[in-house]
């Protein structure tokens, strides 16, 4: 069995800066980590490998420094690593990102199953996984909190608003997972040593036959046209002593006006 795991390097900071002109994130100057839900996806792949054997390839799209995230995945037990990196990929929206990753999956595959985190902390759109599945014309399940592979099928449980939904999909399929699916393991010393020595294949736009107009900002049909930061304002009133009863009446009045009571 061959498994592809899509991982993303994201900023390890709440102080994210945005380029107001391009509407893209400024990643320089902040620490980076592997997107947490992608670690759950990798652990799901490792669990399959332990159960029935599998060859695991991790694929990431990003700048050259994203190889750090790939080496972390190799340290955890992945077998192969591919970095989709090219200056033409800069500023890609979810669609352009999905296109580059989908073509890379075709080039490095075929794979029996593709795993990814439900969303990334730096965008939280949850769009890339389903878009890749649509481009590859394969079944897709999102919000997955349980997965079991049996022969030609994968059975999943999806955590949705109304409860738990069970689906059975033909392979190959793409699955995006939630943190409920497992607890990611920590890398071992031997795994870190192996990861340090491992080669990472770098794939450019030319390698996957994509033109500069199809990828990056030029190939992105969506744009961030305006960035706003929420402003929190408060008007505080204190009641004490003889004013407490009046204060309670005022609070009750306000809650009723807000339809809370």
């Amino acid at each position: 069995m061959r498994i592809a795991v899509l991982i993303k390097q994201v900023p390890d900071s709440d102080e994210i800066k945005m380029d107001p002109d391009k509407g893209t994130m400024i990643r320089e100057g902040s620490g980076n980590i592997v997107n947490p839900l992608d670690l759950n996806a990798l652990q799901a792949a490792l669990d399959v490998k332990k159960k029935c054997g599998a060859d695991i390839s991790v694929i990431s799209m990003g700048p050259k420094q994203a190889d750090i995230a790939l080496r972390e995945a190799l340290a955890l037990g992945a077998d192969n690593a591919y970095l989709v990196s090219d200056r033409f990929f800069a500023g890609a929206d979810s669609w352009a990102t999905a296109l580059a990753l989908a073509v890379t999956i075709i080039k490095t595959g075929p794979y029996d199953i593709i795993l990814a985190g439900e969303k990334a902390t730096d965008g939280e759109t949850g769009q890339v996984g389903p878009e890749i599945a649509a481009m590859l014309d394969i079944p897709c399940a999102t919000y997955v909190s349980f997965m079991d592979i049996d022969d030609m099928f994968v059975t999943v449980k999806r955590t949705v608003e109304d409860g738990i939904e069970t689906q059975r999909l033909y392979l190959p399929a793409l699955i995006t997972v939630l943190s409920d699916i497992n607890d990611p393991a920590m890398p071992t010393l031997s795994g870190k040593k192996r990861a340090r020595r491992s080669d990472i294949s770098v794939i450019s736009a030319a390698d996957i036959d994509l033109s500069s107009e199809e990828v990056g900002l030029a190939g992105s049909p969506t744009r961030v046209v305006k960035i706003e930061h929420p402003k929190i304002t408060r008007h505080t009133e204190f009641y004490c002593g003889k004013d407490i009863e009046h204060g309670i009446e005022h609070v009750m009045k306000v809650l009723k006006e807000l339809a809370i009571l």
Side-chain angles (χ1 to χ4, degrees), residues 179-233:
S179 59
D180 297 347
I181 195 169
N182 54 43
D183 294 314
M186 297 293 291
T188 62
L189 180 59
S190 60
K192 289 184 177 181
K193 289 180 177 179
R194 183 178 69 85
R196 194 178 301 118
R197 297 190 299 266
S198 298
D199 293 327
I200 293 177
S201 300
V202 180
I203 297 175
S204 66
D207 293 330
I208 51 179
D209 298 321
L210 291 176
S211 68
S212 59
E213 290 77 22
E214 295 177 282
V215 296
L217 201 60
S220 299
T222 62
R223 295 283 195 282
V224 177
V225 296
K226 188 176 182 181
I227 301 171
E228 293 184 352
H229 299 281
K231 295 181 180 180
I232 301 175
T233 58

Side-chain angles (χ1 to χ4, degrees), residues 29-51:
S30 62
N32 296 295
I33 59 172
V34 179
N35 181 52
L37 287 177
D38 295 344
L39 291 175
N40 293 105
L42 176 58
Q43 186 60 51
L46 293 170
D47 291 341
V48 173
K49 181 178 181 178
K50 184 177 180 180
K51 179 180 178 181

Side-chain angles (χ1 to χ4, degrees), residues 37-38 40-42 44-45 48 113-119 130 139-149 154-161 163-169 173-183:
L37 287 177
D38 295 344
N40 293 105
L42 176 58
V48 173
I113 191 165
I114 303 160
L115 298 171
E118 177 58 39
K119 58 186 178 182
C140 176
T142 57
Y143 299 100
V144 171
S145 54
F146 171 84
M147 181 184 76
D148 182 54
I149 297 177
V154 56
T155 301
V156 301
K157 291 184 179 180
R158 303 179 63 238
T159 302
V160 294
E161 291 183 359
I164 303 297
E165 181 179 285
T166 301
Q167 291 182 345
R168 195 168 188 232
L169 290 73
L174 188 148
I175 308 295
T176 64
V177 306
L178 298 173
S179 59
D180 297 347
I181 195 169
N182 54 43
D183 294 314

